[in-house]
Amino acid sequence: MAWFEGTFEQALAEATRAKKIVFIDFWASWCGWCKRLDRETLADNTVVAETQDLVCLSIDAESQDGQPLAARYGVAGLPALVFLEPGGSLRDRLAGFRPPAQFVAEVRRVKSGEGTLGGIEKRIAANPKDAAARLDLVLRLRQLHEGRWEREIAAVRELIQGGEGFDPKSPDERFAIARKLRMCSDEKGYQDQIAAIRTLDPESRSFPMRRLALDDLLQAVNARYQKEKTFDPGAVKTFLAGERHAQVRFEGWSSLRAMSSYQAEEQARRGQMPMAAGSRAEARACGREAWKSCPADRVATFGRELAQSFLAQDRELTDEERGFAVEVALKASETAPKNVDHLETLAACLELAGRKEEAVAALRRALEIEPGKAALKARLESLQR
C-alpha cells in the first residue's frame, strides 16, 4: 500500500488539500491478527487498488504518538481500521481482521457513506428530528462501543413518544421505527409501535401487518421443526401465493430458503444424503421464487449470493437451474458493472452452463477493471487451454 510517510497532522493537511478520506491501520508488534492483516489483506492487489484514493497511515497503537490517537478514536482492540473525514472527524471504525474481499467491500461502503457514523450524523444535522436517522446513530454507536448511545436512545424515545421525526399515521413508517427499536434492544418500544400499527390498520392490509402475519406463520413452522424435526412450509407457501406485497413475498421465500438449507445441513450431518439433496433442491426452488420479487436495491447482493449457492451445488443442478444461475448472475453483474466479484461469479456460471466463450469474455472484462489480479489471470488461462 502507498503509506503516507509524514505525521498525522501532515496527513490531515494532505487529505484536506486533496479532499480525500484518511485510513488508519492501528496495530501492535504483539498482535498476530495485525500481522495476518498486513500479510493477507493489505498486500492484496485488489486492496491496494481500492485504497489508492485514500490517505493511508500505519500507526503503532502503543507508540508515544499512537497512544493518544488510538484513545481519541476509540480504539479498544487490534487491529483497528479507522476512517476519518479530511478534517479529522471519525467517519467509521472497524475492529478485527478482514480478508481482502470483505475489506474491499467495507472500503467501498465507507466511501459511499452508507451506514457510516459520519453519514448518519450528516443526516441528523440536516434534520435533527429524524427519528430513523437517530436510531441508526444509536445502532452504530453501540457497534462502536461508544457510551453516548444511552443519551441518544433516551432522546429519540422522547421524539417517538411525541410523534415527532416520522409520520405517526403511516403504518410503514411506524414499522420501520419498530424494527430499529428492536435492533436497539428496546422491546417495549417495539411492542408499542406494533400496537399502534394494529390500531391504524385493523383490516391488516398494510405491509407491516402482512409482514407480521408472515412472521407468525414462519414461527409456527420453525416451532414444529424444532419439536418434531418435521418441515412443513405448506401454510407459508399458501400465504405467499396470495400475497400482493412484493417485499413480503421476497422475505417469505427467502426465509423458507434459509430453513430448507438448514434442514439440508442437519440431514447431511446425520448421513441422510438423499433427504439432504431433496432439501437443497427445495432451497433452490425457494430461492427462485424469492428472486421473482427481489427488491431493486438487493439485486446485486442477493443475485450474486443466490448464483454462488447454485454453483456450490453444481453436481445436483438441472440444465434449467444452470440457465437460471446464469440469468441471475448476469442481472446482478449488470447492476454492479464494475464489480470484479460479480464478473467472476458470472464467468463461473457461464462455464458451468457450457458457455465457455462468454465466460472468457466476462473474465476479460474483470481483468480490464483489475489488471493486476493474479487469480483472474490464472483462471482465464485455464479456460483458454
Side-chain angles (χ1 to χ4, degrees), residues 204-220:
S204 299
R205 293 181 178 179
S206 64
F207 163 72
M209 291 301 294
R210 300 299 292 172
R211 188 61 179 83
L212 291 168
L214 172 64
D215 282 344
D216 290 341
L217 291 171
L218 289 170
Q219 288 172 12

Side-chain angles (χ1 to χ4, degrees), residues 134-136 138-139 142 149 153 157 179-187:
R134 296 195 76 111
L135 285 171
D136 286 341
V138 171
L139 287 169
R142 282 166 60 102
W149 72 266
I153 190 68
R157 281 173 181 154
R179 282 178 150 179
K180 290 179 187 292
L181 285 167
R182 172 167 274 184
M183 292 172 69
C184 292
S185 302
D186 186 349
E187 188 62 23

Side-chain angles (χ1 to χ4, degrees), residues 49-359:
E50 191 63 41
T51 56
Q52 284 182 342
D53 58 347
L54 307 180
V55 176
C56 301
L57 283 170
S58 177
I59 295 180
D60 180 350
E62 296 186 341
S63 67
Q64 185 175 353
D65 292 333
Q67 285 182 0
L69 286 174
R72 174 177 172 179
Y73 292 113
V75 172
L78 299 173
L81 313 173
V82 175
F83 298 86
L84 308 179
E85 303 291 353
S89 61
L90 182 65
R91 186 181 182 95
D92 216 357
R93 187 177 70 226
L94 307 173
F97 171 80
R98 297 290 196 283
Q102 188 179 349
F103 183 87
V104 167
E106 291 284 14
V107 172
R108 289 172 179 168
R109 177 188 63 79
V110 169
K111 287 180 181 180
S112 72
E114 177 188 349
T116 63
L117 181 63
I120 295 168
E121 289 180 331
K122 286 179 181 178
R123 287 166 54 200
I124 294 172
N127 181 6
K129 291 187 176 181
D130 185 337
R134 296 195 76 111
L135 285 171
D136 286 341
L137 177 61
V138 171
L139 287 169
R140 199 69 190 95
L141 291 173
R142 282 166 60 102
Q143 291 168 350
L144 294 171
H145 304 290
E146 295 274 359
R148 63 187 175 101
W149 72 266
E150 294 179 344
R151 293 198 310 273
E152 292 294 337
I153 190 68
V156 77
R157 281 173 181 154
E158 288 187 16
L159 278 177
I160 294 168
Q161 289 170 2
E164 295 184 276
F166 68 106
D167 183 357
K169 295 182 180 179
S170 167
D172 288 349
E173 290 198 24
R174 278 195 178 271
F175 193 53
I177 294 295
R179 282 178 150 179
K180 290 179 187 292
L181 285 167
R182 172 167 274 184
M183 292 172 69
C184 292
S185 302
D186 186 349
E187 188 62 23
K188 181 181 182 302
Y190 170 82
Q191 294 297 343
D192 287 346
Q193 293 305 311
I194 298 303
I197 292 169
R198 294 186 190 282
T199 300
L200 287 170
D201 181 22
E203 297 181 356
S204 299
R205 293 181 178 179
S206 64
F207 163 72
M209 291 301 294
R210 300 299 292 172
R211 188 61 179 83
L212 291 168
L214 172 64
D215 282 344
D216 290 341
L217 291 171
L218 289 170
Q219 288 172 12
V221 171
N222 185 59
R224 184 177 179 187
Y225 181 77
Q226 296 300 325
K227 183 178 180 180
E228 305 173 8
K229 296 301 177 185
T230 300
F231 180 58
D232 181 8
V236 179
K237 289 184 176 181
T238 299
F239 174 88
L240 294 174
E243 180 54 50
R244 67 183 181 87
H245 290 280
Q247 182 71 26
V248 175
R249 293 197 303 272
F250 174 73
E251 294 182 11
W253 285 113
S254 295
S255 296
L256 290 183
R257 173 176 174 248
M259 289 180 174
S260 295
S261 296
Y262 176 78
Q263 183 184 38
E265 291 173 4
E266 287 210 328
Q267 289 166 336
R269 281 196 294 268
R270 294 194 293 264
Q272 300 168 326
M273 297 309 176
M275 295 178 68
S279 294
R280 286 192 292 270
E282 174 68 13
R284 293 196 299 273
C286 292
R288 295 182 70 171
E289 290 297 326
W291 179 249
K292 294 176 183 177
S293 302
C294 183
D297 63 351
R298 294 288 305 278
V299 166
T301 53
F302 180 71
R304 178 170 178 259
E305 188 269 321
L306 184 60
Q308 286 183 315
S309 71
F310 274 58
L311 285 170
Q313 300 166 23
D314 58 344
R315 296 182 180 180
E316 300 176 4
L317 302 184
T318 64
D319 288 343
E320 183 183 6
E321 286 175 323
R322 290 188 181 93
F324 172 76
V326 170
E327 171 195 326
V328 172
L330 180 60
K331 184 66 175 177
S333 182
E334 288 173 347
T335 308
K338 294 185 179 180
N339 190 301
V340 170
D341 294 334
H342 283 69
L343 285 168
E344 286 188 271
T345 300
L346 174 59
C349 290
L350 288 165
E351 183 182 2
L352 182 63
R355 296 160 63 172
K356 186 175 177 179
E357 290 184 4
E358 294 173 81

